[in-house]
Amino acid sequence: MIPFNFDYFKPDSTEEAIKTYTSEWKLGKKVVYFTGGTEVITFSRGGKMTADAVIDLKGIPDCTVLEMVGEKLIIGAAITLNQLIESDVFPLLSETARRIADHTSRNKITIGGNLMSKLNYKECILPLLVAEAVVVIVGPKGMEELPAEKLASGILEEGTFLTQIKVPVSNLNLPYTSLKRTRTTKVGYPIVSLAALIKEDRIRVAFSGLDEYPFRSAVVEATLNDRTLSDEQRISKAIAKLPTSISDDFLASKGFRKFTLGILLTEMNTVLEGQP
Amino acid sequence: MIMSNTSKYTVIPLLVNGQSHDVMVRSADTLLHTLREQIGLTGAKHACGNGDCGACTVLVDGKPMHSCLMLAVEAVSEEITTIEGLKHSEMRQAFVEQWAIQCGYCTPGFILNCHALVKEHPDADDEKIEEWLQSNLCRCTGYYEIKQAVKFVLEMNKKNG
Ligand SMILES: Cc1cc2nc3c(=O)[nH]c(=O)nc-3n(C[C@H](O)[C@H](O)[C@H](O)COP(=O)(O)OP(=O)(O)OC[C@H]3O[C@@H](n4cnc5c(N)ncnc54)[C@H](O)[C@@H]3O)c2cc1C
Ligand code: FES
Ligand code: FES
């Protein structure tokens, strides 16, 4: 049971959502946005967060679209992971989403909630990073489009929320792979998760589970694409050049994460090299 | 805009097993809590409260959902099915006949999930069945029999066209 009360609003438009946020915030209330709500509910129940007002974005048409417009695939923030998987419009995203949580939870977890999660994993961002997606943010100051990597650390200005993700159509159907290792069972948070694709003969890869935030690194990619080196050399050098310190926590030690990353990068090379 | 209020209870309509119920809820009440404490439908079980075990599974517009991860106010205008609404279903019967029950605590959640699975995927293969069954935990570890119950219904439906 959630041990505190809040007001619940379900606006029909982005304007109504912003107006509601602003008026509640001016009253000194703590306001949170909500799409799938699974994290808001579990964090609230577990004493990890509180709220005086909750704004559910599922009633906003901009947040529930999933369509091609011109040269972009538009994904509304309130699209559930299973809707993404079933539509299979962006196979690398479908494959990555299929390994997040379990089938029933994926009927509720949304892409917007995953990208804005307070947890470090945000695995849906990995395909967006390698496909150079942009995200649409709306707030009291208006609307803006940002590169998806701006969401990796998850901090948006007060009152702003994510409405849509836009992916260039030219990056939807490139050769790809999505790999993940968990501690024990198939369902679980990643020790390491990666999403990779090949564009113009170069591998692009993004990682989650290694450190505080998911990331894509130019230095790591340059090393992985250095054809003067053997496969093994590329992988060991890429690991040495990671732009982050590898986490050491209850899921896995630093050493085991490094070892697992090496295995996943080898698998990645095998899969991608086998593709046309 | 739909709104429900903090300091007082709000009356909302919920459509459960084909019957409309006006229930008094806090915005913060989960669907699981409301089904059990307000409507008296105790088939959906409380266990982890975290989306990890599936004991609280119900169907929302035919899709399995962890009712511990859904607010009651989110379920307004949706069609909710609990185990009490599947009394005469083939899946429930198959669980009995295939001995897919031990202590029974996980059983309502499993039956609802499996019922939705065979409706959505009448040709479900082993991979699909396993993917869906990962959403529910059985501490008595009766997974083999549960899988057999699903396969039994899939076969029966195919035979009956
Ligand atoms: C059983 C289970 C297993 C999981 N396994 C994984 C896993 O393997 N990998 C992984 O990456 N994650 C995993 N997760 C975590 C999950 O992806 C996140 O908790 C995610 O936030 C849930 O999405 P939601 O739509 O329910 O989010 P919500 O609860 O709606 O929101 C999450 C956070 O984002 C904010 N927010 C939501 N929507 C917006 C928006 N449009 N704009 C701005 N802020 C917003 C909310 O205020 C909140 O802080 C798992 C979760 C569960 C329940
Ligand atoms: S009680 Fe809802 S998933 Fe465990
Ligand atoms: S039958 Fe006992 S938990 Fe499943």
Side-chain angles (χ1 to χ4, degrees):
Chain A
M1 183 145 155
I2 296 176
F4 56 84
N5 290 321
F6 52 74
D7 281 326
Y8 170 86
F9 300 91
K10 193 173 177 190
D12 302 319
S13 66
T14 50
E15 295 76 23
E16 205 173 41
I18 301 291
K19 226 164 98 186
T20 308
Y21 190 101
T22 311
S23 58
E24 292 295 298
W25 188 69
K26 279 187 182 155
L27 294 172
K29 294 189 179 176
K30 182 169 179 214
V31 194
V32 300
Y33 290 116
F34 177 109
T35 46
T38 64
E39 187 171 302
V40 172
I41 293 169
T42 51
F43 276 30
S44 298
R45 198 180 58 79
K48 290 189 196 149
M49 67 171 278
T50 60
D52 303 307
V54 164
I55 302 178
D56 187 344
L57 304 171
K58 287 195 288 288
I60 300 175
D62 283 357
C63 295
T64 54
V65 292
L66 181 58
E67 62 187 9
M68 300 283 186
V69 178
E71 290 304 298
K72 296 273 162 70
L73 166 68
I74 315 286
I75 307 171
I79 293 293
T80 66
L81 300 189
N82 276 346
Q83 284 175 304
L84 284 175
I85 295 165
E86 283 153 22
S87 73
D88 206 21
V89 273
F90 180 11
L92 174 56
L93 182 57
S94 311
E95 192 68 23
T96 305
R98 196 188 293 283
R99 299 214 182 84
I100 296 175
D102 61 278
H103 178 268
T104 301
S105 297
R106 291 196 297 266
N107 277 332
K108 192 89 194 326
I109 295 175
T110 62
I111 183 163
N114 181 269
L115 296 175
M116 297 309 302
S117 171
K118 300 282 182 285
L119 299 165
N120 323 348
Y121 309 109
K122 300 164 178 273
E123 286 180 82
C124 281
I125 205 168
L126 305 180
L128 306 183
L129 293 177
V130 292
E132 284 167 347
V134 295
V135 293
V136 183
I137 305 296
V138 178
K141 292 184 197 153
M143 189 182 89
E144 69 179 319
E145 287 191 8
L146 303 169
E149 60 253 38
K150 291 278 180 204
L151 296 188
S153 60
I155 299 153
L156 292 182
E157 256 181 62
E158 189 64 49
T160 55
F161 65 93
L162 170 71
T163 56
Q164 291 178 341
I165 298 109
K166 296 185 178 178
V167 192
V169 169
S170 57
N171 291 341
L172 296 179
N173 287 301
L174 297 165
Y176 71 91
T177 187
S178 168
L179 301 165
K180 174 170 176 174
R181 289 291 185 281
T182 59
R183 188 173 170 197
T184 45
T185 48
K186 280 191 185 163
V187 178
Y189 294 121
I191 291 175
V192 187
S193 168
L194 66 79
L197 56 76
I198 297 190
K199 180 151 191 185
E200 287 149 8
D201 219 20
R202 287 183 68 80
I203 292 174
R204 297 173 174 190
V205 58
F207 305 93
S208 169
L210 284 176
D211 193 18
E212 205 177 350
Y213 304 118
F215 65 91
R216 183 181 163 196
S217 154
V219 187
V220 169
E221 281 180 19
T223 314
L224 288 171
N225 284 296
D226 183 349
R227 310 283 169 192
T228 63
L229 303 172
S230 70
D231 260 16
E232 276 152 35
Q233 286 170 327
R234 278 189 267 160
I235 289 169
S236 61
K237 282 201 170 186
I239 294 175
K241 287 185 178 172
L242 283 174
T244 154
S245 59
I246 297 182
S247 304
D248 203 335
D249 61 20
F250 70 102
L251 279 182
S253 67
K254 186 175 172 169
F256 188 64
R257 272 203 169 83
K258 248 185 174 173
F259 170 74
T260 308
L261 176 61
I263 291 177
L264 291 195
L265 287 173
T266 310
E267 262 180 56
M268 175 192 80
N269 278 343
T270 312
V271 176
L272 291 181
E273 271 157 26
Q275 298 206 27
Chain B
M1 173 160 67
I2 300 176
M3 194 194 136
S4 98
N5 187 305
T6 173
S7 45
K8 298 193 187 93
Y9 282 84
T10 309
V11 177
I12 58 165
L14 288 184
L15 183 62
V16 189
N17 303 329
Q19 277 195 330
S20 181
H21 299 262
D22 286 334
V23 289
M24 287 228 290
V25 297
R26 295 155 66 231
S27 307
D29 283 341
T30 59
L31 178 59
L32 174 63
H33 177 84
T34 305
L35 289 170
R36 294 179 59 87
E37 305 301 328
Q38 289 277 327
I39 308 183
L41 295 173
T42 54
K45 300 287 182 253
H46 179 80
C48 70
N50 250 349
D52 293 325
C53 75
C56 65
T57 305
V58 299
L59 304 185
V60 177
D61 280 345
K63 296 209 176 289
M65 207 67 86
H66 296 306
S67 60
C68 70
L69 296 184
M70 185 167 195
L71 299 175
V73 286
E74 287 184 272
V76 172
S77 319
E78 311 276 8
E79 212 172 289
I80 300 153
T81 308
T82 67
I83 191 65
E84 291 85 351
L86 283 193
K87 266 186 196 148
H88 306 293
S89 71
E90 293 150 346
M91 192 56 75
R92 179 179 172 277
Q93 195 55 29
F95 266 62
V96 174
E97 284 168 16
Q98 301 295 314
W99 296 91
I101 303 166
Q102 290 180 52
C103 79
Y105 198 80
C106 69
T107 309
F110 264 108
I111 292 179
L112 283 152
N113 193 21
C114 296
H115 176 81
L117 165 63
V118 298
K119 294 268 175 243
E120 200 168 316
H121 297 284
D123 293 314
D125 57 12
D126 278 357
E127 198 185 336
K128 184 65 74 190
I129 297 171
E130 261 157 41
E131 185 192 358
W132 280 57
L133 291 190
Q134 279 165 7
S135 294
N136 298 68
L137 296 178
C138 173
R139 290 296 82 186
C140 306
T141 66
Y143 297 110
Y144 176 78
E145 289 80 1
I146 292 168
K147 212 169 154 187
Q148 289 306 108
V150 174
K151 288 185 164 180
F152 179 81
V153 174
L154 286 170
E155 281 304 311
M156 193 173 65
N157 288 348
K158 270 183 206 157
K159 266 191 213 146
N160 298 341

